[in-house]
Amino acid sequence: LGANATLAVSLANSKSAALSKKKPIYKNLGNSFSLPNPLMNIINGGAHADNDLKIQEFMIRPDSAKNFLDAIEKCYVVIQNLKKILKSKKMLTNVGDEGGFAPNINTSSEVIETILKAINDAGFKPGEDIYLSLDVASTEFYKNNNYDLSGENLSLNSDQMIEYLEKLVNSYPIYSIEDGMSEDDWEGWTNLTQLLGNKIQLVGDDLFVTNKNRLQRGINERAGNSILVKVNQIGTLNETLESIKLAKENNFTTIISHRSGETEDTTIADLSVGVSAGQIK
């Protein structure tokens, strides 16, 4: 059976178990609860947009929010200001398939500068109120042992890709980078973590695929310090919980995530609260 088939049964079972105990799902999943900080995907590139931008997602996280409602409001104000800026530059404000704007911008620096202006125009301070996060999704453009950033006229080997990411981190208030290296570039992941792991969150999505065996390898090789959790990558809620437990035991942060277009089911909200994941995408 495929992951989505097993997932449907697994989630239905979890919901039934919670109902039979007259509990909300999140209370049936854990013992201590907290609402997560949301990561909002506001500009899309890569496979999620029809532009030449290779980095797949540019996100914001409202660290100064007092509560979840305040977090959503802060993000909304930034997004509306971003829309105004794009319109003023006569750029399209249509969205990619994950809801972020997909303007015809080729360089990551120009995108980040535009987002920083939107944050300032919204009355917030970048690096205090709002931090930036990237999903590079570098496996998508890793070919023949090179990272092909064709929109920026760059073809980088593993060490050069690490330098590229380091430059962005040193230049902008970026607190998190997801899939900065390809899922097959384990040595690159280890080198990236050695260089930036004490400064920022390095998130494995394609690298770990919510699989505890791949996560264990990452722990052993010191590749990354965070895991993106997608229930339908692994296919059952129980295996998902095992991966989260392993991550927490090894001081990896966890981000509960949707999967592009998979469902309107809201179980990942219960999951993020039930395991006190801290972050939700």
Side-chain angles (χ1 to χ4, degrees):
L1 292 174
N4 284 334
T6 60
L7 180 65
V9 177
S10 180
L11 294 187
N13 184 65
S14 177
K15 291 179 181 184
S16 299
L19 278 168
S20 71
K21 295 177 184 176
K22 295 184 171 58
K23 286 183 175 183
I25 301 168
Y26 75 89
K27 283 192 175 178
N28 208 40
L29 292 176
N31 298 312
S32 62
F33 315 112
S34 65
L35 284 165
N37 206 352
L39 281 68
M40 290 282 186
N41 174 13
I42 61 173
I43 287 190
N44 285 175
H48 294 317
D50 188 19
N51 57 24
D52 291 327
L53 193 63
K54 289 297 185 181
I55 291 181
Q56 191 164 276
E57 296 174 4
F58 294 79
M59 294 170 278
I60 53 174
R61 192 179 78 174
D63 280 28
S64 67
K66 298 179 182 68
N67 51 49
F68 196 81
L69 177 60
D70 187 36
I72 299 298
E73 287 177 345
K74 280 181 165 60
C75 290
Y76 176 79
V77 174
V78 172
I79 290 165
Q80 294 308 305
N81 278 277
L82 178 59
K83 189 173 186 177
K84 285 180 191 173
I85 293 167
L86 295 176
K87 279 188 171 179
S88 73
K89 293 183 176 182
K90 294 186 166 42
M91 291 182 177
L92 293 174
T93 53
N94 58 325
V95 297
D97 68 7
E98 291 194 337
F101 297 118
N104 194 20
I105 300 175
N106 294 339
T107 70
S108 53
S109 293
E110 186 181 349
V111 172
I112 292 170
E113 295 284 357
T114 305
I115 293 173
L116 292 178
K117 184 173 184 342
I119 293 170
N120 282 312
D121 288 356
F124 304 128
K125 289 185 178 179
E128 290 185 29
D129 298 313
I130 311 279
Y131 278 86
L132 305 182
S133 171
L134 309 179
D135 176 7
V136 181
S138 57
T139 300
E140 299 283 342
F141 54 87
Y142 185 62
K143 297 177 180 70
N144 302 317
N145 296 320
N146 273 311
Y147 294 90
D148 180 22
L149 289 161
S150 53
E152 303 188 40
N153 295 314
L154 295 172
S155 181
L156 310 175
N157 63 29
S158 187
D159 289 340
Q160 290 167 332
M161 185 65 186
I162 292 170
E163 289 173 11
Y164 174 88
L165 296 174
E166 182 186 24
K167 185 177 178 183
L168 289 178
V169 169
N170 288 338
S171 302
Y172 303 110
I174 295 168
Y175 84 95
S176 179
I177 295 178
E178 178 185 331
D179 284 344
M181 311 304 288
S182 168
E183 65 191 24
D184 298 317
D185 188 4
W186 283 94
E187 183 179 351
W189 266 100
T190 298
N191 292 337
L192 178 68
T193 306
Q194 187 173 356
L195 183 67
L196 295 177
N198 290 327
K199 288 183 179 179
I200 66 167
Q201 182 173 257
L202 295 169
V203 188
D205 174 19
D206 295 339
L207 182 69
F208 298 138
V209 289
T210 318
N211 184 304
K212 67 178 183 180
N213 295 326
R214 286 187 69 90
L215 175 59
Q216 186 63 61
R217 179 176 174 183
I219 292 164
N220 295 343
E221 298 186 19
R222 297 186 178 178
N225 57 24
S226 178
I227 182 172
L228 196 78
V229 176
K230 293 174 177 170
V231 191
N232 83 332
Q233 276 181 328
I234 194 66
T236 65
L237 189 57
N238 195 55
E239 288 169 292
T240 304
L241 294 170
E242 288 175 1
S243 293
I244 293 169
K245 182 173 182 285
L246 179 62
K248 290 193 168 195
E249 287 172 350
N250 289 276
N251 298 314
F252 271 50
T253 58
T254 55
I255 306 168
I256 308 300
S257 177
H258 70 103
R259 194 77 184 274
S260 302
E262 88 277 25
T263 180
E264 291 186 1
D265 181 275
T266 58
T267 307
I268 63 166
D270 283 277
L271 179 61
S272 66
V273 173
V275 301
S276 292
Q279 299 168 89
I280 191 167
K281 191 171 166 185

